[in-house]
C-alpha cells in the first residue's frame, strides 16, 4: 500500500462487545479525520470469564478480519484482550497494534501523588494481574489494589445504567477500595466509562479517575503521527465509520446509539469463525 493510501486507510478497533465504543467515541473526538472499522464480538461476549488461549484465538480471528478491511493500525479496545492477547498477536501481524492497558497504567502512574493506585475490571483482567505488572514496571514503588466488578458489564449492556440497583452494586464493589489509601483509580474495562459519573460521584473528589479510552486515543494519535500515517482529511469531507458484529446486530446498534454522538449506520454481521 502506498503511503498516501495508508493515510486514508481506516483504524481497526475491536472489543468483545459494545464496551469498545467508548474508545471509538474518544478516537472520533480527538482524531476526527480518521476512518474507523469497528468489530464487536457479540456472539462470544463476555471475554472476562474465558481462558487466555481462547482469547488469543479470538483476537487472531478478529485481526485477520480487520486486515481484510486494509486497516493501517489496530486498537484492542478491550482490557481483557489487551491484558491476555496483545503480546501474542503483536508478533504475528505486520500492522501496529495497541491496547488499552498500557495507556491507562501510564496515566495513573503519572497522576498518583501517594503511589497508591486502584484498578476495577473484569475477573480475567484482575486475575491476570496485568495492570499491577505494567504499573510496577513503570514505577516499582506504586502499590496497586485490583478489584473485580463482574456485574458492571451486564448492567451497562442491559441498559441498567440509571437503575437504583446499579448504584447499590457500585457501592457494594467499591466500598473497600474507597476506604483504602488510593488517590487514583483506573476504569479497567471499556464498559466502565459509561458508569463514570456514578462511580466518580461515589468515590468523591479525593480520588482521580483514569479513563483508559481517552488515554488510548492519545496514544493512537501519537503512533499515527510518528509513522506519518495520520489522515489529514483532505481526501474525503466526512470520515467513514463502519460497524461489524458477530451476532445480534440490531441489539448492538440500539445500544451503540446510546453511546455514540451520531446515528449508528446499519451494523453488519460477520461469521468470525471463518477467519
Amino acid at each position: 500500500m502506498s503511503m498516501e493510501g495508508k493515510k486514508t486507510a481506516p483504524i481497526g478497533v475491536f472489543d468483545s462487545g459494545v464496551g469498545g465504543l467508548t474508545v471509538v467515541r474518544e478516537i472520533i473526538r480527538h482524531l476526527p479525520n480518521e476512518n474507523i472499522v469497528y468489530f464487536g464480538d457479540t456472539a462470544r461476549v463476555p471475554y472476562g470469564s474465558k481462558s487466555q488461549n481462547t482469547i488469543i484465538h479470538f483476537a487472531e480471528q478478529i485481526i485477520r478480519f480487520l486486515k481484510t478491511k486494509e486497516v493501517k493500525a489496530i486498537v484492542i479496545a478491550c482490557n481483557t484482550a489487551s491484558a491476555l492477547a496483545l503480546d501474542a498477536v503483536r508478533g504475528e501481524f505486520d500492522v501496529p497494534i495497541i491496547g488499552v492497558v498500557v495507556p491507562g497504567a501510564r496515566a495513573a502512574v503519572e497522576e498518583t501523588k501517594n503511589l497508591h493506585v486502584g484498578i476495577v475490571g473484569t475477573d480475567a483482567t484482575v486475575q491476570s494481574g496485568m495492570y499491577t505488572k505494567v504499573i510496577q514496571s513503570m514505577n516499582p514503588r506504586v502499590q496497586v489494589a485490583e478489584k473485580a466488578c463482574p456485574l458492571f458489564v451486564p448492567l451497562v449492556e442491559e441498559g441498567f445504567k440509571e437503575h437504583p440497583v446499579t448504584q447499590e452494586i457500585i457501592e457494594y464493589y467499591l466500598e473497600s477500595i474507597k476506604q483504602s489509601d488510593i488517590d487514583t483509580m483506573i476504569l479497567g474495562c471499556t464498559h466502565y466509562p459509561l458508569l463514570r459519573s456514578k462511580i466518580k460521584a461515589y468515590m468523591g473528589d479525593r480520588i482521580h479517575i483514569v479513563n483508559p479510552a481517552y488515554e488510548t486515543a492519545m496514544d493512537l494519535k501519537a503512533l499515527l503521527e510518528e509513522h506519518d500515517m495520520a489522515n489529514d482529511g483532505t481526501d474525503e469531507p466526512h470520515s467513514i465509520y463502519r460497524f461489524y458484529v458477530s451476532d445480534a446486530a440490531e441489539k448492538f446498534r440500539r445500544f451503540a446509539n446510546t453511546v455514540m454522538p451520531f446515528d449508528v449506520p446499519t451494523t453488519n454481521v460477520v461469521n468470525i469463525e471463518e477467519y
Side-chain angles (χ1 to χ4, degrees):
M1 213 188 323
S2 71
M3 263 337 267
E4 206 29 68
K6 261 219 155 87
K7 287 188 173 180
T8 55
I11 309 289
V13 181
F14 77 89
D15 175 45
S16 56
V18 297
L21 293 171
T22 60
V23 178
V24 174
R25 190 168 65 176
E26 297 294 338
I27 295 171
I28 290 171
R29 213 171 264 168
H30 301 286
L31 291 85
N33 293 331
E34 297 298 340
N35 300 311
I36 298 172
V37 176
Y38 181 86
F39 179 81
D41 199 358
T42 46
R44 304 186 295 197
V45 71
Y47 282 10
S49 48
K50 297 195 169 57
S51 72
Q52 179 163 20
N53 283 347
T54 297
I55 289 168
I56 290 170
H57 171 64
F58 288 176
E60 289 165 341
Q61 288 180 318
I62 295 166
I63 292 167
R64 285 194 287 269
F65 163 71
L66 289 172
K67 285 199 60 133
T68 67
K69 303 297 176 193
E70 301 194 323
V71 296
K72 62 185 174 184
I74 290 174
V75 178
I76 304 183
C78 168
N79 285 264
T80 305
S82 296
L84 300 178
L86 179 61
D87 289 346
V89 296
R90 254 199 182 138
E92 277 181 71
F93 297 96
D94 57 347
V95 58
I97 304 174
I98 64 171
V100 289
V101 171
V102 169
R106 191 189 317 109
V109 168
E110 287 169 4
E111 187 63 43
T112 181
K113 308 283 186 285
N114 72 0
L115 304 183
H116 285 74
V117 171
I119 320 288
V120 285
T122 64
D123 280 328
T125 299
V126 168
Q127 273 155 19
S128 75
M130 190 50 130
Y131 270 104
T132 300
K133 286 192 205 83
V134 171
I135 286 171
Q136 291 185 335
S137 73
M138 294 173 180
N139 182 348
R141 290 166 47 233
V142 176
Q143 292 186 22
V144 184
E146 299 204 35
K147 176 77 181 167
C149 304
L151 286 172
F152 282 176
V153 168
L155 285 169
V156 166
E157 294 213 344
E158 295 304 325
F160 275 75
K161 211 168 73 175
E162 301 305 327
H163 197 284
V165 73
T166 299
Q167 188 61 39
E168 288 184 32
I169 289 170
I170 286 173
E171 292 170 18
Y172 172 75
Y173 281 146
L174 300 186
E175 187 183 14
S176 59
I177 211 164
K178 184 180 179 176
Q179 305 306 334
S180 71
D181 295 336
I182 67 160
D183 68 354
T184 304
M185 185 171 92
I186 299 173
L187 300 178
C189 171
T190 49
H191 283 72
Y192 297 2
L194 299 169
L195 299 172
R196 183 173 171 273
S197 57
K198 292 202 162 20
I199 290 171
K200 194 166 172 43
Y202 176 68
M203 297 302 283
D205 289 339
R206 185 178 68 80
I207 294 168
H208 177 82
I209 293 187
V210 172
N211 177 2
Y214 166 77
E215 306 299 339
T216 302
M218 291 296 132
D219 271 32
L220 175 63
K221 191 175 186 185
L223 173 89
L224 295 177
E225 283 164 6
E226 182 192 332
H227 290 278
D228 197 29
M229 291 193 306
N231 191 346
D232 52 19
T234 49
D235 275 24
E236 306 131 348
H238 298 294
S239 298
I240 300 160
Y241 306 123
R242 287 173 290 168
F243 297 88
Y244 297 87
V245 291
S246 46
D247 195 17
E250 195 40 44
K251 184 181 179 187
F252 172 89
R253 202 182 69 82
R254 278 200 306 273
F255 186 88
N257 276 330
T258 67
V259 180
M260 302 310 291
F262 54 80
D263 268 350
V264 172
T266 308
T267 300
N268 304 287
V269 177
V270 175
N271 181 0
I272 198 65
E273 301 289 355
E274 286 175 0
Y275 290 88

